[in-house]
Amino acid sequence: MYFAQLYQMNLSARGLDLFGSKLVKIPSPSFVVFYNGDKELPDVSEQKLSDAFEPAGNGQGFEWTAKIINIGGRHNEDLLKKCKALYDYCSYVDRVKGNLKAGMPHRDAVGEAMDHAIKENYLDGFFKSQKMEVLNMSLTEFDQEEYDRNRRREGEEEGILRTAQNLLAMELLSPEQIARATGLPLEDVHRLSEELAAAR
């Protein structure tokens, strides 16, 4: 979605017409994901968009690779020191997370973090000048119940994956039997089997 929006802004700024007969050339994309979630990741990793396709890995000749840069915890601190905007953003998000972990209701957690960001002049006053927009975005796009449901679902999925990995390691059942027992797609079981073989 961001990708399409960025290209739309670029084309509009350049006054280009997509509906003419002339080929419209666009800047080569480079995809970077700044990750500051709770799952432990290396400092830098890669992710293929086709991993999100159904069936997994089936890009039908279409593939994008994104570089994932972990900016959570104590990862990539040199980068954060060099990029104040990124540091300010991380500080705001970390403050919201800390407030939520302390038991604050989501609205209060965001509001307190917003007030702190304004006081500290994060993003050179952006939080102050765009307070209502950021608040609305933070509050309307975040559904606590949906978030909790998704976290529970993620935990269940991770448990199923661990079960499949353990069954594969025991070498007592075939991939087809493991797929039936866990409810995982057979291609996912084969992928886990390949990862297990590569790790040995």
Side-chain angles (χ1 to χ4, degrees), residues 41-45 68-71 74-76:
L41 291 181
D43 282 357
V44 180
S45 56
I68 301 174
I69 300 176
N70 190 354
I71 53 174
R74 300 185 64 82
H75 292 275
N76 289 298

Side-chain angles (χ1 to χ4, degrees), residues 46-93:
E46 285 193 342
Q47 186 173 44
K48 293 181 179 179
L49 186 62
S50 63
D51 290 341
F53 295 161
E54 298 253 359
N58 187 5
Q60 296 288 327
F62 175 82
E63 182 64 273
W64 286 343
T65 301
K67 180 180 288 186
I68 301 174
I69 300 176
N70 190 354
I71 53 174
R74 300 185 64 82
H75 292 275
N76 289 298
E77 289 182 320
D78 287 343
L79 173 63
L80 295 180
K81 288 175 183 176
K82 293 175 183 175
C83 182
K84 185 179 182 301
L86 200 56
Y87 175 83
D88 288 352
Y89 166 75
C90 287
S91 298
Y92 168 71
V93 172

Side-chain angles (χ1 to χ4, degrees), residues 140-156:
T140 58
E141 290 191 357
F142 186 93
D143 183 324
Q144 184 68 52
E145 291 183 2
E146 181 68 16
Y147 176 84
D148 291 340
R149 277 196 299 272
N150 288 337
R151 297 297 74 74
R152 285 194 296 272
R153 189 179 304 118
E154 284 179 359
E156 291 167 1

Side-chain angles (χ1 to χ4, degrees), residues 4-198:
Q5 290 171 1
L6 286 170
Y7 268 136
Q8 184 176 26
M9 289 189 293
N10 177 272
L11 294 171
S12 296
R14 294 161 61 197
L16 296 175
D17 177 16
L18 286 178
F19 302 102
S21 58
K22 185 179 177 182
L23 176 66
V24 175
K25 294 192 175 184
I26 57 179
S28 297
S30 176
F31 295 93
V32 177
V33 175
F34 290 110
Y35 176 81
N36 63 347
D38 296 325
K39 185 177 180 181
E40 185 59 36
L41 291 181
D43 282 357
V44 180
S45 56
E46 285 193 342
Q47 186 173 44
K48 293 181 179 179
L49 186 62
S50 63
D51 290 341
F53 295 161
E54 298 253 359
N58 187 5
Q60 296 288 327
F62 175 82
E63 182 64 273
W64 286 343
T65 301
K67 180 180 288 186
I68 301 174
I69 300 176
N70 190 354
I71 53 174
R74 300 185 64 82
H75 292 275
N76 289 298
E77 289 182 320
D78 287 343
L79 173 63
L80 295 180
K81 288 175 183 176
K82 293 175 183 175
C83 182
K84 185 179 182 301
L86 200 56
Y87 175 83
D88 288 352
Y89 166 75
C90 287
S91 298
Y92 168 71
V93 172
D94 287 345
R95 189 141 186 129
V96 173
K97 286 181 177 180
N99 289 342
L100 289 171
K101 286 180 180 177
M104 276 191 191
H106 185 255
R107 179 175 293 276
D108 294 342
V110 171
E112 192 282 335
M114 176 70 66
D115 291 341
H116 180 77
I118 291 171
K119 180 182 176 184
E120 297 297 322
N121 198 35
Y122 285 173
L123 297 177
D124 296 325
F126 175 82
F127 282 95
K128 184 176 183 179
S129 63
Q130 304 294 326
K131 180 175 180 177
M132 292 312 299
E133 181 182 342
V134 177
L135 271 175
N136 287 335
M137 183 180 68
S138 297
L139 293 171
T140 58
E141 290 191 357
F142 186 93
D143 183 324
Q144 184 68 52
E145 291 183 2
E146 181 68 16
Y147 176 84
D148 291 340
R149 277 196 299 272
N150 288 337
R151 297 297 74 74
R152 285 194 296 272
R153 189 179 304 118
E154 284 179 359
E156 291 167 1
E157 290 171 356
E158 288 179 7
I160 290 170
L161 288 174
R162 280 196 297 272
T163 299
Q165 289 169 334
N166 291 336
L167 290 171
L168 285 166
M170 293 167 65
E171 298 181 349
L172 296 175
L173 301 174
S174 69
E176 290 77 13
Q177 290 171 316
I178 293 173
R180 284 198 300 273
T182 61
L184 287 172
L186 182 58
E187 57 264 27
D188 286 0
V189 177
H190 282 305
R191 178 177 55 78
L192 289 172
S193 179
E194 291 169 3
E195 290 175 358
L196 184 64

